[in-house]
Amino acid sequence: CYLIQVAEVVHVVVWVAVGIGGNITGHHIRGRGHVDYGLDDCCVDCRAALKADGGDGGREKIRRNLEKLLQNEGFVAENCGADAEVGVHTLYHDEELDFHVLAHIYAEGKQSPPHDHGHSWAIYGQAILHTEMIVWDRKDDQTEVGKADLAVARQFRLDPGRAGVVQ
C-alpha cells in the first residue's frame, strides 16, 4: 500500500486522474515547443492509450502526452498562467472512460498530508514552478483506525514540463 504526500505545491499542477491502479514513474522531456499539441490532442491520445492498455503501458503513454502538452506555452499561459483563477478546474472529463484533466491553481505553496489513492491513480504534471512529492510505504497491518506506520518509499520533484504517475 502506498500513501502519497504532496510535500510542497508551488502554484500550478495539471493532473490526469482515473479510477484504476498504477505505479510511480517520472521522466524529463527537454526543450519547449509542441505549440500545435493542445488539450484536445492530448485528450484524444489519452483516450486511445487507455483503450489500448489500461495498465502501466497506457499510463506511461498518458504521462508522455501530458509532458508534451505542458511544453505548449500557449496552453500553460491560458490555463495555468498568472491570470488563472485560483482553485481546481476541470479542463476535460471523458464520460466513457471516466478520466479527468484537472488544473490545480494555488495562490501560494501548500502541503498535503499523506493520503491513499485507493484503487485510482493520477498523473501529476507540473506547469510552472515545482512540486515536491513523497510516496510513503505503509508498514502496519491497517487494523488500528487513525494510525499508520509509514516509511518513505520515494521522493521526487516535479519541475515545469515534467509528469509522474502515482497511485
Side-chain angles (χ1 to χ4, degrees), residues 3-150:
L3 297 172
I4 310 307
Q5 177 184 15
V6 179
E8 179 184 16
V9 175
V10 180
H11 203 63
V12 178
V13 181
V14 177
W15 295 5
V16 176
V18 302
I20 305 174
N23 64 13
I24 300 165
T25 62
H27 304 277
H28 180 62
I29 292 180
R30 294 185 190 148
R32 299 298 277 177
H34 300 290
V35 174
D36 295 335
Y37 192 79
L39 179 62
D40 291 342
D41 302 308
C42 183
C43 293
V44 166
D45 290 348
C46 289
R47 268 183 68 75
L50 278 175
K51 283 188 165 205
D53 181 353
D56 292 343
R59 287 187 286 278
E60 174 59 17
K61 287 179 183 174
I62 293 168
R63 185 197 61 73
R64 282 191 237 142
N65 295 338
L66 183 54
E67 285 189 341
K68 187 175 177 182
L69 177 62
L70 291 170
Q71 302 307 307
N72 181 328
E73 292 174 356
F75 168 80
V76 171
E78 179 181 341
N79 294 283
C80 310
D83 295 331
E85 183 180 343
V86 172
V88 178
H89 309 283
T90 301
L91 304 180
Y92 177 81
H93 175 223
D94 186 285
E95 293 186 20
E96 178 189 353
L97 300 177
D98 198 27
F99 74 88
H100 302 257
V101 178
L102 308 171
H104 288 243
I105 311 297
Y106 300 105
E108 57 189 45
K110 85 174 239 178
Q111 282 195 316
S112 167
H115 57 279
D116 190 345
H117 282 204
H119 296 291
S120 66
W121 51 266
I123 301 174
Y124 296 85
Q126 191 70 30
I128 61 173
L129 302 174
H130 72 275
T131 299
E132 301 289 338
M133 303 289 289
I134 302 171
V135 179
W136 298 89
D137 190 10
R138 188 159 185 180
K139 300 292 190 179
D140 63 285
D141 63 7
Q142 302 180 39
T143 57
E144 192 174 336
V145 176
K147 178 185 181 276
D149 182 17
L150 305 175

